[in-house]
Amino acid sequence: MSQTKPPVGASGSPTTQTAGAKPAATTHRPFLRPSRLLKNTPHEKLHPAVLAEAERRASSVQLRIADAITAFAGSMNFVYLHIVLFAVWMLVFEKSPWPTLTLIVSLEAIFLSTFVMIGQNRQAAFQQAKADHDYTAQEKLLEENTDLTRTIHQLTREMHERMLGTPTPTPATPTPEAPHS
């Protein structure tokens, strides 16, 4: 029997959807435009690192422009527009071998590759921020769990002493060894 994974939302937690319900229009490509992510998603549902990165990107005009271009260049509308433009150019404006069209396409490829790298840098920055946040949260939980374990151990020893009237031997706590020279 195969199990299917539930859809995952922007915060990394599973999302629920009722049977037969259509997904919301904003779930099509929610991560491509941080300003839309901030506007259309309740902030409490976002991972803190996602929220911080989206706010940082939405506050900069240059980053908003780069996000808009990247979002459009990664869509099928971009492909359809280019099919039409190239066909019209080849049939109407210039005859074979299309030197001007070749120049335009080459320049466009240079700019689009730059936007791809901007998108990769954005993703890397987001992943690093998320990893840093997750590490900090994990370390805090580890410290809390260690404190709770120590408290439980102490309470257990005290209960043992009260019930049996004898002190419980305390196991020797290993101390970190000094580095050998």
Side-chain angles (χ1 to χ4, degrees):
M1 179 189 325
S2 67
Q3 294 180 347
T4 58
K5 292 184 179 180
V8 176
S11 64
S13 60
T15 59
T16 57
Q17 185 176 347
T18 57
K22 292 183 179 179
T26 58
T27 60
H28 179 59
R29 291 185 322 213
F31 301 113
L32 295 180
R33 302 286 292 276
S35 56
R36 288 185 184 169
L37 178 68
L38 291 172
K39 185 173 70 174
N40 297 328
T41 307
H43 290 199
E44 61 274 0
K45 290 191 175 197
L46 293 174
H47 189 283
V50 173
L51 184 60
E53 183 65 15
E55 287 172 344
R56 183 184 75 81
R57 293 197 69 80
S59 67
S60 168
V61 174
Q62 287 180 330
L63 294 176
R64 284 197 313 263
I65 291 170
D67 289 335
I69 292 171
T70 304
F72 177 65
S75 70
M76 284 307 293
N77 287 337
F78 181 80
V79 173
Y80 300 143
L81 175 69
H82 280 75
I83 290 171
V84 170
L85 288 176
F86 292 162
V88 168
W89 189 279
M90 290 186 294
L91 296 173
V92 176
F93 294 112
E94 195 172 31
K95 300 300 173 201
S96 182
W98 309 292
T100 308
L101 180 61
T102 304
L103 174 66
I104 291 169
V105 171
S106 297
L107 289 172
E108 182 182 39
I110 291 168
F111 285 111
L112 287 177
S113 66
T114 302
F115 286 110
V116 166
M117 292 188 332
I118 289 170
Q120 289 173 340
N121 289 342
R122 173 183 64 193
Q123 187 64 25
F126 160 73
Q127 290 297 333
Q128 185 62 48
K130 188 172 185 299
D132 290 345
H133 175 273
D134 290 346
Y135 177 78
T136 309
Q138 181 183 13
E139 287 298 309
K140 182 180 177 188
L141 285 173
L142 179 63
E143 186 177 319
E144 288 175 4
N145 286 339
T146 302
D147 290 343
L148 284 173
T149 302
R150 286 183 180 139
T151 303
I152 290 170
H153 179 69
Q154 179 64 32
L155 290 173
T156 303
R157 285 183 51 228
E158 289 174 9
M159 285 179 58
H160 191 265
E161 287 177 16
R162 286 185 186 166
M163 295 175 101
L164 299 177
T166 59
T168 321
T170 323
T173 308
T175 57
E177 294 182 24
H180 299 289
S181 304

Coordinates of all heavy atoms in Angstrom, one line a residue, residues 141-174:
L141 N 16.0 24.0 22.1 CA 15.2 22.8 22.5 C 16.1 21.8 23.2 O 15.7 21.2 24.2 CB 14.5 22.1 21.4 CG 13.3 22.9 20.8 CD1 12.8 22.2 19.6 CD2 12.2 22.9 21.9
L142 N 17.3 21.6 22.7 CA 18.2 20.6 23.3 C 18.6 21.1 24.8 O 18.6 20.3 25.7 CB 19.5 20.5 22.5 CG 20.6 19.6 23.1 CD1 20.0 18.1 23.1 CD2 21.8 19.6 22.2
E143 N 18.8 22.4 24.9 CA 19.1 22.9 26.2 C 18.0 22.8 27.2 O 18.1 22.4 28.3 CB 19.5 24.4 26.1 CG 20.0 25.0 27.4 CD 20.4 26.5 27.1 OE1 21.1 26.8 26.1 OE2 20.1 27.3 28.0
E144 N 16.7 23.1 26.7 CA 15.5 22.9 27.5 C 15.3 21.4 27.9 O 15.0 21.1 29.1 CB 14.3 23.4 26.8 CG 14.2 24.9 26.6 CD 13.0 25.3 25.8 OE1 12.2 24.5 25.4 OE2 13.0 26.6 25.5
N145 N 15.5 20.5 27.0 CA 15.4 19.1 27.3 C 16.4 18.6 28.3 O 16.1 17.8 29.2 CB 15.4 18.3 26.0 CG 14.2 18.4 25.2 OD1 13.1 18.7 25.7 ND2 14.3 18.0 23.9
T146 N 17.6 19.1 28.2 CA 18.7 18.7 29.1 C 18.4 19.2 30.5 O 18.5 18.5 31.5 CB 20.1 19.3 28.6 OG1 20.3 18.8 27.3 CG2 21.2 18.9 29.6
D147 N 17.9 20.5 30.6 CA 17.5 21.0 31.9 C 16.3 20.2 32.5 O 16.3 19.9 33.7 CB 17.1 22.5 31.8 CG 18.3 23.4 31.5 OD1 19.4 23.0 31.7 OD2 18.0 24.5 31.0
L148 N 15.3 19.9 31.7 CA 14.2 19.0 32.1 C 14.7 17.7 32.6 O 14.2 17.2 33.7 CB 13.2 18.9 31.0 CG 12.3 20.1 30.8 CD1 11.4 19.9 29.5 CD2 11.4 20.4 32.0
T149 N 15.6 17.1 31.9 CA 16.1 15.7 32.3 C 16.8 15.8 33.6 O 16.7 15.0 34.5 CB 17.0 15.2 31.2 OG1 16.3 15.1 29.9 CG2 17.6 13.8 31.5
R150 N 17.6 16.9 33.8 CA 18.3 17.1 35.0 C 17.3 17.3 36.2 O 17.5 16.7 37.3 CB 19.3 18.2 34.9 CG 20.5 17.9 34.1 CD 21.5 19.0 34.1 NE 22.7 18.7 33.3 CZ 23.3 19.5 32.4 NH1 22.8 20.7 32.3 NH2 24.3 19.0 31.7
T151 N 16.3 18.1 36.0 CA 15.3 18.3 37.0 C 14.6 17.0 37.3 O 14.3 16.8 38.5 CB 14.3 19.4 36.5 OG1 15.0 20.6 36.2 CG2 13.3 19.7 37.6
I152 N 14.2 16.3 36.4 CA 13.5 15.0 36.6 C 14.4 14.0 37.4 O 14.0 13.4 38.3 CB 13.0 14.3 35.3 CG1 11.9 15.2 34.7 CG2 12.6 12.9 35.5 CD1 11.5 14.8 33.3
H153 N 15.7 14.0 37.0 CA 16.6 13.2 37.7 C 16.7 13.6 39.2 O 16.7 12.8 40.1 CB 18.0 13.2 37.1 CG 19.0 12.4 37.8 ND1 19.0 11.0 37.8 CD2 20.1 12.7 38.5 CE1 20.0 10.6 38.5 NE2 20.7 11.6 38.9
Q154 N 16.8 14.9 39.4 CA 16.9 15.4 40.8 C 15.7 15.1 41.6 O 15.7 14.6 42.7 CB 17.2 16.9 40.8 CG 17.3 17.6 42.1 CD 18.5 17.0 42.9 OE1 19.5 16.7 42.4 NE2 18.3 17.0 44.3
L155 N 14.5 15.3 41.0 CA 13.2 15.0 41.7 C 13.1 13.5 42.0 O 12.6 13.1 43.0 CB 12.0 15.5 40.8 CG 11.9 17.0 40.7 CD1 10.8 17.3 39.7 CD2 11.5 17.6 42.1
T156 N 13.6 12.7 41.1 CA 13.5 11.2 41.3 C 14.4 10.8 42.5 O 14.0 10.0 43.3 CB 14.0 10.5 40.0 OG1 13.2 10.9 38.9 CG2 13.9 9.0 40.2
R157 N 15.6 11.4 42.6 CA 16.5 11.2 43.7 C 15.9 11.6 45.0 O 15.9 10.9 46.0 CB 17.8 11.9 43.5 CG 18.7 11.2 42.4 CD 20.1 11.8 42.3 NE 20.8 12.0 43.5 CZ 21.4 13.2 43.9 NH1 21.4 14.2 43.1 NH2 22.0 13.3 45.0
E158 N 15.3 12.8 45.0 CA 14.6 13.3 46.2 C 13.5 12.4 46.6 O 13.3 12.1 47.8 CB 14.1 14.7 46.0 CG 15.2 15.7 45.9 CD 14.8 17.1 45.6 OE1 13.5 17.4 45.6 OE2 15.6 18.0 45.3
M159 N 12.6 11.9 45.7 CA 11.5 11.0 46.0 C 12.1 9.7 46.5 O 11.5 9.1 47.5 CB 10.7 10.8 44.7 CG 9.8 11.9 44.4 SD 8.8 11.6 42.9 CE 7.9 10.2 43.4
H160 N 13.1 9.2 46.0 CA 13.7 7.9 46.4 C 14.2 8.1 47.9 O 14.0 7.2 48.7 CB 14.9 7.6 45.5 CG 15.4 6.2 45.7 ND1 16.5 5.9 46.5 CD2 15.0 5.0 45.2 CE1 16.7 4.6 46.5 NE2 15.8 4.0 45.8
E161 N 14.9 9.2 48.2 CA 15.3 9.5 49.5 C 14.2 9.5 50.5 O 14.2 9.0 51.6 CB 16.1 10.8 49.6 CG 17.5 10.6 48.9 CD 18.3 12.0 49.0 OE1 17.9 12.9 49.7 OE2 19.2 12.1 48.2
R162 N 13.1 10.2 50.1 CA 11.9 10.4 51.0 C 11.2 9.0 51.3 O 10.8 8.7 52.4 CB 11.0 11.4 50.5 CG 11.5 12.8 50.6 CD 10.4 13.8 50.2 NE 11.0 15.1 50.2 CZ 10.4 16.2 49.6 NH1 9.3 16.0 49.0 NH2 11.0 17.3 49.7
M163 N 11.1 8.3 50.2 CA 10.3 7.0 50.3 C 11.1 5.9 51.0 O 10.6 5.1 51.8 CB 9.9 6.5 48.9 CG 8.9 7.5 48.3 SD 8.5 7.0 46.6 CE 6.9 6.2 46.9
L164 N 12.4 5.8 50.7 CA 13.2 4.8 51.3 C 14.1 5.2 52.4 O 14.6 4.4 53.2 CB 14.1 4.2 50.2 CG 13.4 3.5 49.0 CD1 14.4 3.0 48.0 CD2 12.5 2.4 49.5
G165 N 14.2 6.5 52.6 CA 15.0 7.1 53.7 C 16.5 6.9 53.5 O 17.2 7.3 54.5
T166 N 16.9 6.5 52.4 CA 18.4 6.4 52.2 C 18.8 7.2 51.0 O 18.0 7.2 50.0 CB 18.8 4.9 52.0 OG1 18.1 4.4 50.8 CG2 18.5 4.0 53.2
P167 N 19.9 7.8 51.1 CA 20.3 8.6 49.9 C 20.7 7.7 48.7 O 21.2 6.6 49.0 CB 21.5 9.4 50.4 CG 21.9 8.8 51.6 CD 20.8 8.0 52.2
T168 N 20.3 8.1 47.6 CA 20.7 7.3 46.4 C 22.1 7.7 45.9 O 22.5 8.9 46.0 CB 19.7 7.7 45.2 OG1 18.4 7.9 45.7 CG2 19.7 6.6 44.1
P169 N 22.9 6.7 45.6 CA 24.2 7.1 45.1 C 24.1 7.9 43.9 O 23.3 7.6 43.0 CB 24.9 5.7 44.9 CG 23.8 4.7 44.8 CD 22.6 5.3 45.6
T170 N 24.9 8.9 43.8 CA 24.9 9.8 42.6 C 26.0 9.2 41.7 O 27.1 9.0 42.0 CB 25.3 11.2 43.0 OG1 24.7 11.5 44.2 CG2 24.8 12.2 41.9
P171 N 25.6 9.0 40.4 CA 26.6 8.5 39.5 C 27.6 9.6 39.2 O 27.2 10.8 39.2 CB 25.8 8.2 38.2 CG 24.5 8.9 38.4 CD 24.3 9.1 39.8
A172 N 28.8 9.2 39.1 CA 29.8 10.2 38.8 C 29.6 10.8 37.4 O 29.4 10.1 36.4 CB 31.2 9.5 38.8
T173 N 29.6 12.1 37.4 CA 29.4 12.8 36.1 C 30.7 12.9 35.4 O 31.7 13.4 36.0 CB 28.8 14.2 36.4 OG1 27.7 14.1 37.2 CG2 28.5 14.9 35.1
P174 N 30.8 12.4 34.2 CA 32.1 12.5 33.5 C 32.4 13.9 33.2 O 31.6 14.7 32.9 CB 31.9 11.7 32.2 CG 30.4 11.6 32.1 CD 29.8 11.8 33.4

